[in-house]
Amino acid sequence: MRQAQSIQNGQRHDGRTPRSFRDPNVVARRRALLSSPHMGPLVELTKELRAEGRGTVPDFDPADAGVNARILFLMEKPGPMTDDLALVGRVGSGFISRDNDDPTAEAIFHFMQQAGISRQESILWNTVPWWNGSRRIEAAELRDGLDRVGKLAELLPNLRVVVCVDGKAQRAARFIEGLGLSFVPSAHPSPINRAARPAVWQAIPDQWAQARAFI
């Protein structure tokens, strides 16, 4: 009975409330959607990145726009809650998603709504696509990551603007503009930023809303 109730709750809240990936049934249903037509080229890209052997690479969230995206939210680097292969600690979802079970993803979920940006027009990704157990970003990682961002942009024919979230991602500004895309800088929606710079953190939805002017 409890399992059936859990499944029903997961179906009811699948992507409609934050942290829905705390329910493994929701994650499983989302994984089944990776075979959807709007995901094909992105699934192939993640396979290529994993084959490089530089770390865990999460999947794009198929509940988002996939190759139809007009707005790309470019974070810095995957975190542990994207890692579904973790040998210690909590096991993540395997997705970069606003539905992950962590406070940053929860903030992204709410900020997207406040900014008026729908899932059907946006996707999330990272400047450095590999999670190697460290949040530190080396210069070589950043350089190689930007090259992979260029490959991603080639798969998104409707892409118009990139929202670069926090300092490392904002170093991509010149590169992004060189691709003929608009660039919007943003603070990072992490709990650390919220505690240290609450006014900056609260302004993030307004920053993200600026992206709408370019689509």
Side-chain angles (χ1 to χ4, degrees):
M1 178 65 72
R2 288 184 178 180
Q3 183 178 8
Q5 186 66 42
S6 174
I7 292 173
Q8 291 173 1
N9 289 340
Q11 290 171 339
R12 187 179 305 122
H13 300 296
D14 192 346
R16 299 179 186 177
T17 58
R19 298 197 183 216
S20 61
F21 278 179
R22 69 179 62 183
D23 184 344
N25 297 300
V26 175
V27 177
R29 286 193 294 275
R30 198 68 56 85
R31 188 154 299 284
L33 295 175
L34 285 171
S35 59
S36 302
H38 73 295
M39 293 301 297
L42 302 184
V43 169
E44 291 304 312
L45 176 62
T46 56
K47 288 180 180 178
E48 292 173 10
L49 293 171
R50 289 169 187 150
E52 294 186 36
R54 301 180 62 161
T56 303
V57 180
D59 283 300
F60 291 85
D61 189 339
D64 294 342
V67 296
N68 302 314
R70 293 183 289 170
I71 307 174
L72 168 63
F73 282 82
L74 194 62
M75 310 294 175
E76 293 188 331
K77 189 175 185 178
M81 289 314 295
T82 70
D83 186 3
D84 60 344
L85 301 177
L87 299 178
V88 296
R90 294 175 64 193
V91 176
S93 68
F95 290 100
I96 175 169
S97 174
R98 70 197 76 189
D99 295 325
N100 277 332
D101 186 16
D102 64 77
T104 296
E106 182 174 8
I108 292 172
F109 186 99
H110 289 302
F111 287 170
M112 289 287 196
Q113 292 182 331
Q114 293 172 37
I117 296 174
S118 74
R119 304 188 81 130
Q120 288 69 43
E121 61 191 0
S122 61
I123 57 171
L124 308 177
W125 195 237
N126 291 285
T127 309
V128 175
W130 309 279
W131 170 245
N132 58 2
S134 172
R135 295 187 184 278
R136 182 173 179 174
I137 298 178
E138 304 291 345
E141 280 185 294
L142 184 60
R143 182 191 65 242
D144 294 345
L146 286 175
D147 176 69
R148 303 333 187 257
V149 171
K151 292 183 178 180
L152 170 60
E154 293 175 359
L155 303 177
L156 306 176
N158 300 322
L159 185 62
R160 297 293 179 267
V161 57
V162 180
V163 180
C164 293
V165 181
D166 214 2
K168 291 292 192 305
Q170 290 172 21
R171 294 185 188 179
R174 183 175 299 178
F175 178 83
I176 295 299
E177 291 171 341
L179 297 175
L181 300 169
S182 298
F183 165 83
V184 174
S186 162
H188 197 286
S190 70
I192 296 175
N193 217 15
R194 181 179 187 178
R197 303 189 298 167
V200 171
W201 191 85
Q202 292 170 5
I204 290 174
D206 291 335
Q207 293 174 326
W208 289 6
Q210 295 174 24
R212 299 202 56 78
F214 300 101
I215 62 171

